[in-house]
Amino acid sequence: MLYTIVGVDVPDSLERRLAARPAHLGRLSALQDEGRLLLAGPFPALDSADPGPAGFTGSLIVAEFDSLATAQAWADADPYVAAGVYAGVSVKPFKKVLPA
C-alpha cells in the first residue's frame, strides 16, 4: 500500500538539511530502485523552486510499504530526523486515484 510521509522542518533548518541531504537522498534512491517511490520532494519556504537562504518548510514522500508500522519505522530512521531537521513527521495510508 502507498503511504504519505510528511516531515515539518524546525525553523532555520537549512544548514542541517543540506548536511544530511546526501544520506536522505540515498534512502529515497533505494526506494526508487526497488520501484516503491511514487514521488518525493521538499516544500520551499517561498513561492520559488529555489528558495535560497529561506530554505524549506518540510518534505513530502509518497511510497509503497508493507504496512503502516513499516512506513513509520522507515520515516523514523530518516537522516533528517536524526539531524534535527524535522520538528515532526506524520505517516498516513494513501490511496492513489488520479492519474489512473
Side-chain angles (χ1 to χ4, degrees):
M1 179 167 193
L2 291 173
Y3 295 87
T4 62
I5 299 170
V6 178
V8 177
D9 286 19
V10 299
D12 301 316
S13 61
L14 183 59
E15 191 173 307
R16 284 177 274 178
R17 177 181 269 273
L18 293 175
R21 188 170 189 262
H24 173 77
L25 291 179
R27 295 178 82 234
L28 290 171
S29 292
L31 284 179
Q32 182 176 356
D33 292 346
E34 295 166 5
R36 297 171 42 206
L37 182 65
L38 186 64
L39 64 92
F43 300 121
L46 303 174
D47 188 11
S48 171
D50 182 3
F56 301 90
T57 61
S59 304
L60 169 67
I61 299 165
V62 181
E64 185 178 341
F65 292 92
D66 292 333
S67 67
L68 179 58
T70 303
Q72 185 69 59
W74 189 91
D76 290 343
D78 193 287
Y80 283 174
V81 172
V85 174
Y86 291 152
V89 178
S90 68
V91 180
K92 296 181 180 181
F94 179 74
K95 180 180 176 183
K96 181 180 178 268
V97 175
L98 295 171

